[in-house]
PDB file of all heavy atoms in Angstrom:
ATOM      1  N   ASN B1016     -27.439-153.009 105.206  1.00 66.00           N
ATOM      2  CA  ASN B1016     -27.597-151.634 105.528  1.00 66.00           C
ATOM      3  C   ASN B1016     -27.004-150.656 104.495  1.00 66.00           C
ATOM      4  O   ASN B1016     -27.599-149.666 104.184  1.00 66.00           O
ATOM      5  CB  ASN B1016     -26.824-151.412 106.855  1.00 66.00           C
ATOM      6  CG  ASN B1016     -27.586-150.682 107.823  1.00 66.00           C
ATOM      7  OD1 ASN B1016     -27.947-149.536 107.513  1.00 66.00           O
ATOM      8  ND2 ASN B1016     -27.965-151.264 108.898  1.00 66.00           N
ATOM      9  N   LEU B1017     -25.927-151.057 103.936  1.00 65.00           N
ATOM     10  CA  LEU B1017     -25.162-150.277 103.022  1.00 65.00           C
ATOM     11  C   LEU B1017     -25.841-150.270 101.623  1.00 65.00           C
ATOM     12  O   LEU B1017     -25.957-149.206 101.005  1.00 65.00           O
ATOM     13  CB  LEU B1017     -23.775-150.879 102.884  1.00 65.00           C
ATOM     14  CG  LEU B1017     -22.640-150.100 102.476  1.00 65.00           C
ATOM     15  CD1 LEU B1017     -22.416-148.987 103.506  1.00 65.00           C
ATOM     16  CD2 LEU B1017     -21.371-150.926 102.452  1.00 65.00           C
ATOM     17  N   LEU B1018     -26.253-151.424 101.182  1.00 64.00           N
ATOM     18  CA  LEU B1018     -26.708-151.544  99.805  1.00 64.00           C
ATOM     19  C   LEU B1018     -28.244-151.427  99.757  1.00 64.00           C
ATOM     20  O   LEU B1018     -28.801-151.358  98.685  1.00 64.00           O
ATOM     21  CB  LEU B1018     -26.224-152.869  99.169  1.00 64.00           C
ATOM     22  CG  LEU B1018     -24.761-153.128  99.320  1.00 64.00           C
ATOM     23  CD1 LEU B1018     -24.393-154.502  98.827  1.00 64.00           C
ATOM     24  CD2 LEU B1018     -23.985-152.080  98.512  1.00 64.00           C
ATOM     25  N   GLY B1019     -28.933-151.525 100.844  1.00 60.00           N
ATOM     26  CA  GLY B1019     -30.383-151.424 100.835  1.00 60.00           C
ATOM     27  C   GLY B1019     -31.008-152.717 100.490  1.00 60.00           C
ATOM     28  O   GLY B1019     -30.331-153.717 100.234  1.00 60.00           O
ATOM     29  N   ASP B1020     -32.344-152.680 100.418  1.00 49.00           N
ATOM     30  CA  ASP B1020     -33.081-153.938 100.150  1.00 49.00           C
ATOM     31  C   ASP B1020     -33.035-154.324  98.676  1.00 49.00           C
ATOM     32  O   ASP B1020     -33.372-155.444  98.324  1.00 49.00           O
ATOM     33  CB  ASP B1020     -34.542-153.755 100.557  1.00 49.00           C
ATOM     34  CG  ASP B1020     -34.658-153.634 102.028  1.00 49.00           C
ATOM     35  OD1 ASP B1020     -33.863-154.265 102.760  1.00 49.00           O
ATOM     36  OD2 ASP B1020     -35.580-152.895 102.547  1.00 49.00           O
ATOM     37  N   GLY B1021     -32.554-153.384  97.823  1.00 48.00           N
ATOM     38  CA  GLY B1021     -32.654-153.663  96.387  1.00 48.00           C
ATOM     39  C   GLY B1021     -31.913-154.959  95.955  1.00 48.00           C
ATOM     40  O   GLY B1021     -32.333-155.581  95.026  1.00 48.00           O
ATOM     41  N   VAL B1022     -30.834-155.296  96.618  1.00 47.00           N
ATOM     42  CA  VAL B1022     -30.097-156.468  96.167  1.00 47.00           C
ATOM     43  C   VAL B1022     -30.284-157.618  97.149  1.00 47.00           C
ATOM     44  O   VAL B1022     -29.580-158.618  97.005  1.00 47.00           O
ATOM     45  CB  VAL B1022     -28.618-156.147  96.010  1.00 47.00           C
ATOM     46  CG1 VAL B1022     -28.413-155.079  94.921  1.00 47.00           C
ATOM     47  CG2 VAL B1022     -28.023-155.688  97.303  1.00 47.00           C
ATOM     48  N   MET B1023     -31.237-157.499  98.045  1.00 47.00           N
ATOM     49  CA  MET B1023     -31.471-158.608  98.957  1.00 47.00           C
ATOM     50  C   MET B1023     -32.808-159.227  98.677  1.00 47.00           C
ATOM     51  O   MET B1023     -33.780-158.596  98.431  1.00 47.00           O
ATOM     52  CB  MET B1023     -31.465-158.103 100.411  1.00 47.00           C
ATOM     53  CG  MET B1023     -30.225-157.374 100.825  1.00 47.00           C
ATOM     54  SD  MET B1023     -28.819-158.542 100.896  1.00 47.00           S
ATOM     55  CE  MET B1023     -27.526-157.355 101.101  1.00 47.00           C
ATOM     56  N   LEU B1024     -32.841-160.552  98.686  1.00 44.00           N
ATOM     57  CA  LEU B1024     -34.085-161.296  98.595  1.00 44.00           C
ATOM     58  C   LEU B1024     -34.317-162.018  99.828  1.00 44.00           C
ATOM     59  O   LEU B1024     -33.339-162.330 100.577  1.00 44.00           O
ATOM     60  CB  LEU B1024     -33.978-162.304  97.460  1.00 44.00           C
ATOM     61  CG  LEU B1024     -33.700-161.738  96.090  1.00 44.00           C
ATOM     62  CD1 LEU B1024     -33.469-162.865  95.113  1.00 44.00           C
ATOM     63  CD2 LEU B1024     -34.925-160.917  95.625  1.00 44.00           C
ATOM     64  N   HIS B1025     -35.588-162.306 100.135  1.00 43.00           N
ATOM     65  CA  HIS B1025     -35.861-163.077 101.339  1.00 43.00           C
ATOM     66  C   HIS B1025     -35.095-164.408 101.286  1.00 43.00           C
ATOM     67  O   HIS B1025     -35.402-165.214 100.416  1.00 43.00           O
ATOM     68  CB  HIS B1025     -37.334-163.294 101.439  1.00 43.00           C
ATOM     69  CG  HIS B1025     -37.703-164.075 102.660  1.00 43.00           C
ATOM     70  ND1 HIS B1025     -37.821-163.484 103.936  1.00 43.00           N
ATOM     71  CD2 HIS B1025     -37.955-165.370 102.841  1.00 43.00           C
ATOM     72  CE1 HIS B1025     -38.140-164.384 104.788  1.00 43.00           C
ATOM     73  NE2 HIS B1025     -38.237-165.590 104.168  1.00 43.00           N
ATOM     74  N   GLY B1026     -34.206-164.615 102.218  1.00 44.00           N
ATOM     75  CA  GLY B1026     -33.510-165.928 102.287  1.00 44.00           C
ATOM     76  C   GLY B1026     -32.406-166.061 101.262  1.00 44.00           C
ATOM     77  O   GLY B1026     -31.543-166.899 101.403  1.00 44.00           O
ATOM     78  N   VAL B1027     -32.402-165.275 100.240  1.00 45.00           N
ATOM     79  CA  VAL B1027     -31.338-165.362  99.257  1.00 45.00           C
ATOM     80  C   VAL B1027     -30.700-164.005  99.106  1.00 45.00           C
ATOM     81  O   VAL B1027     -31.368-163.037  98.793  1.00 45.00           O
ATOM     82  CB  VAL B1027     -31.892-165.734  97.815  1.00 45.00           C
ATOM     83  CG1 VAL B1027     -30.821-166.014  96.851  1.00 45.00           C
ATOM     84  CG2 VAL B1027     -32.854-166.864  97.909  1.00 45.00           C
ATOM     85  N   ASP B1028     -29.449-163.879  99.378  1.00 48.00           N
ATOM     86  CA  ASP B1028     -28.846-162.554  99.150  1.00 48.00           C
ATOM     87  C   ASP B1028     -27.954-162.661  97.958  1.00 48.00           C
ATOM     88  O   ASP B1028     -27.447-163.671  97.568  1.00 48.00           O
ATOM     89  CB  ASP B1028     -28.084-162.078 100.377  1.00 48.00           C
ATOM     90  CG  ASP B1028     -27.187-163.138 100.899  1.00 48.00           C
ATOM     91  OD1 ASP B1028     -27.422-164.297 100.572  1.00 48.00           O
ATOM     92  OD2 ASP B1028     -26.259-162.807 101.659  1.00 48.00           O
ATOM     93  N   VAL B1029     -27.766-161.557  97.282  1.00 54.00           N
ATOM     94  CA  VAL B1029     -27.000-161.516  96.082  1.00 54.00           C
ATOM     95  C   VAL B1029     -25.562-161.356  96.628  1.00 54.00           C
ATOM     96  O   VAL B1029     -25.060-160.241  96.830  1.00 54.00           O
ATOM     97  CB  VAL B1029     -27.423-160.399  95.134  1.00 54.00           C
ATOM     98  CG1 VAL B1029     -26.582-160.390  93.925  1.00 54.00           C
ATOM     99  CG2 VAL B1029     -28.885-160.683  94.785  1.00 54.00           C
ATOM    100  N   ARG B1030     -24.918-162.430  96.787  1.00 63.00           N
ATOM    101  CA  ARG B1030     -23.601-162.470  97.497  1.00 63.00           C
ATOM    102  C   ARG B1030     -22.520-161.722  96.701  1.00 63.00           C
ATOM    103  O   ARG B1030     -21.621-161.154  97.303  1.00 63.00           O
ATOM    104  CB  ARG B1030     -23.185-163.895  97.766  1.00 63.00           C
ATOM    105  CG  ARG B1030     -24.248-164.710  98.474  1.00 63.00           C
ATOM    106  CD  ARG B1030     -24.526-164.122  99.833  1.00 63.00           C
ATOM    107  NE  ARG B1030     -23.364-164.087 100.681  1.00 63.00           N
ATOM    108  CZ  ARG B1030     -22.968-165.138 101.458  1.00 63.00           C
ATOM    109  NH1 ARG B1030     -23.762-166.207 101.510  1.00 63.00           N
ATOM    110  NH2 ARG B1030     -21.924-165.052 102.207  1.00 63.00           N
ATOM    111  N   ALA B1031     -22.642-161.759  95.378  1.00 67.00           N
ATOM    112  CA  ALA B1031     -21.551-161.114  94.584  1.00 67.00           C
ATOM    113  C   ALA B1031     -21.395-159.659  95.002  1.00 67.00           C
ATOM    114  O   ALA B1031     -20.254-159.190  95.079  1.00 67.00           O
ATOM    115  CB  ALA B1031     -21.890-161.210  93.115  1.00 67.00           C
ATOM    116  N   PHE B1032     -22.478-158.967  95.239  1.00 72.00           N
ATOM    117  CA  PHE B1032     -22.393-157.572  95.587  1.00 72.00           C
ATOM    118  C   PHE B1032     -21.741-157.378  96.960  1.00 72.00           C
ATOM    119  O   PHE B1032     -20.928-156.517  97.209  1.00 72.00           O
ATOM    120  CB  PHE B1032     -23.743-156.909  95.620  1.00 72.00           C
ATOM    121  CG  PHE B1032     -24.306-156.684  94.272  1.00 72.00           C
ATOM    122  CD1 PHE B1032     -25.561-157.199  93.962  1.00 72.00           C
ATOM    123  CD2 PHE B1032     -23.632-155.943  93.320  1.00 72.00           C
ATOM    124  CE1 PHE B1032     -26.119-156.987  92.688  1.00 72.00           C
ATOM    125  CE2 PHE B1032     -24.174-155.729  92.053  1.00 72.00           C
ATOM    126  CZ  PHE B1032     -25.423-156.262  91.775  1.00 72.00           C
ATOM    127  N   GLU B1033     -22.113-158.309  97.863  1.00 75.00           N
ATOM    128  CA  GLU B1033     -21.529-158.268  99.281  1.00 75.00           C
ATOM    129  C   GLU B1033     -20.044-158.498  99.204  1.00 75.00           C
ATOM    130  O   GLU B1033     -19.332-157.761  99.834  1.00 75.00           O
ATOM    131  CB  GLU B1033     -22.131-159.356 100.083  1.00 75.00           C
ATOM    132  CG  GLU B1033     -23.435-158.950 100.780  1.00 75.00           C
ATOM    133  CD  GLU B1033     -23.830-160.021 101.791  1.00 75.00           C
ATOM    134  OE1 GLU B1033     -22.983-160.667 102.406  1.00 75.00           O
ATOM    135  OE2 GLU B1033     -25.042-160.113 102.008  1.00 75.00           O
ATOM    136  N   HIS B1034     -19.653-159.488  98.406  1.00 81.00           N
ATOM    137  CA  HIS B1034     -18.207-159.808  98.366  1.00 81.00           C
ATOM    138  C   HIS B1034     -17.415-158.660  97.853  1.00 81.00           C
ATOM    139  O   HIS B1034     -16.315-158.337  98.292  1.00 81.00           O
ATOM    140  CB  HIS B1034     -17.985-161.032  97.483  1.00 81.00           C
ATOM    141  CG  HIS B1034     -18.661-162.268  98.013  1.00 81.00           C
ATOM    142  ND1 HIS B1034     -18.646-163.453  97.327  1.00 81.00           N
ATOM    143  CD2 HIS B1034     -19.351-162.463  99.099  1.00 81.00           C
ATOM    144  CE1 HIS B1034     -19.333-164.335  98.091  1.00 81.00           C
ATOM    145  NE2 HIS B1034     -19.788-163.712  99.135  1.00 81.00           N
ATOM    146  N   GLU B1035     -17.931-158.043  96.751  1.00 83.00           N
ATOM    147  CA  GLU B1035     -17.242-156.907  96.133  1.00 83.00           C
ATOM    148  C   GLU B1035     -17.100-155.757  97.119  1.00 83.00           C
ATOM    149  O   GLU B1035     -15.945-155.209  97.265  1.00 83.00           O
ATOM    150  CB  GLU B1035     -18.035-156.478  94.929  1.00 83.00           C
ATOM    151  CG  GLU B1035     -17.123-156.102  93.798  1.00 83.00           C
ATOM    152  CD  GLU B1035     -17.857-155.200  92.827  1.00 83.00           C
ATOM    153  OE1 GLU B1035     -19.087-155.009  92.927  1.00 83.00           O
ATOM    154  OE2 GLU B1035     -17.142-154.632  91.994  1.00 83.00           O
ATOM    155  N   ALA B1036     -18.109-155.409  97.790  1.00 83.00           N
ATOM    156  CA  ALA B1036     -18.098-154.286  98.749  1.00 83.00           C
ATOM    157  C   ALA B1036     -17.193-154.590  99.917  1.00 83.00           C
ATOM    158  O   ALA B1036     -16.396-153.788 100.375  1.00 83.00           O
ATOM    159  CB  ALA B1036     -19.503-153.936  99.197  1.00 83.00           C
ATOM    160  N   MET B1037     -17.351-155.851 100.374  1.00 84.00           N
ATOM    161  CA  MET B1037     -16.469-156.292 101.536  1.00 84.00           C
ATOM    162  C   MET B1037     -15.011-156.226 101.161  1.00 84.00           C
ATOM    163  O   MET B1037     -14.176-155.864 101.964  1.00 84.00           O
ATOM    164  CB  MET B1037     -16.898-157.689 101.927  1.00 84.00           C
ATOM    165  CG  MET B1037     -15.986-158.420 102.782  1.00 84.00           C
ATOM    166  SD  MET B1037     -16.213-157.986 104.526  1.00 84.00           S
ATOM    167  CE  MET B1037     -14.916-158.973 105.300  1.00 84.00           C
ATOM    168  N   THR B1038     -14.716-156.585  99.885  1.00 89.00           N
ATOM    169  CA  THR B1038     -13.318-156.526  99.439  1.00 89.00           C
ATOM    170  C   THR B1038     -12.780-155.137  99.507  1.00 89.00           C
ATOM    171  O   THR B1038     -11.657-154.898  99.991  1.00 89.00           O
ATOM    172  CB  THR B1038     -13.149-157.127  98.035  1.00 89.00           C
ATOM    173  OG1 THR B1038     -13.775-158.396  97.997  1.00 89.00           O
ATOM    174  CG2 THR B1038     -11.695-157.279  97.611  1.00 89.00           C
ATOM    175  N   GLU B1039     -13.595-154.203  99.099  1.00 89.00           N
ATOM    176  CA  GLU B1039     -13.121-152.768  99.098  1.00 89.00           C
ATOM    177  C   GLU B1039     -12.961-152.313 100.536  1.00 89.00           C
ATOM    178  O   GLU B1039     -11.953-151.661 100.856  1.00 89.00           O
ATOM    179  CB  GLU B1039     -14.098-151.860  98.326  1.00 89.00           C
ATOM    180  CG  GLU B1039     -13.586-150.437  98.339  1.00 89.00           C
ATOM    181  CD  GLU B1039     -14.384-149.479  97.466  1.00 89.00           C
ATOM    182  OE1 GLU B1039     -15.137-149.932  96.632  1.00 89.00           O
ATOM    183  OE2 GLU B1039     -14.139-148.280  97.645  1.00 89.00           O
ATOM    184  N   LEU B1040     -13.892-152.616 101.424  1.00 87.00           N
ATOM    185  CA  LEU B1040     -13.815-152.180 102.813  1.00 87.00           C
ATOM    186  C   LEU B1040     -12.657-152.830 103.481  1.00 87.00           C
ATOM    187  O   LEU B1040     -11.893-152.158 104.228  1.00 87.00           O
ATOM    188  CB  LEU B1040     -15.133-152.579 103.567  1.00 87.00           C
ATOM    189  CG  LEU B1040     -16.115-151.448 103.724  1.00 87.00           C
ATOM    190  CD1 LEU B1040     -16.530-150.908 102.366  1.00 87.00           C
ATOM    191  CD2 LEU B1040     -17.310-151.953 104.444  1.00 87.00           C
ATOM    192  N   GLY B1041     -12.378-154.142 103.212  1.00 88.00           N
ATOM    193  CA  GLY B1041     -11.226-154.793 103.795  1.00 88.00           C
ATOM    194  C   GLY B1041      -9.920-154.183 103.298  1.00 88.00           C
ATOM    195  O   GLY B1041      -9.000-153.968 104.112  1.00 88.00           O
TER     196      GLY B1041
END
Side-chain angles (χ1 to χ4, degrees):
Chain B
N1016 227 298
L1017 205 60
L1018 309 173
D1020 290 329
V1022 295
M1023 300 294 170
L1024 297 173
H1025 179 81
V1027 186
D1028 46 343
V1029 181
R1030 306 297 299 272
F1032 289 124
E1033 273 191 30
H1034 298 177
E1035 216 203 350
M1037 167 82 182
T1038 308
E1039 181 171 348
L1040 263 57

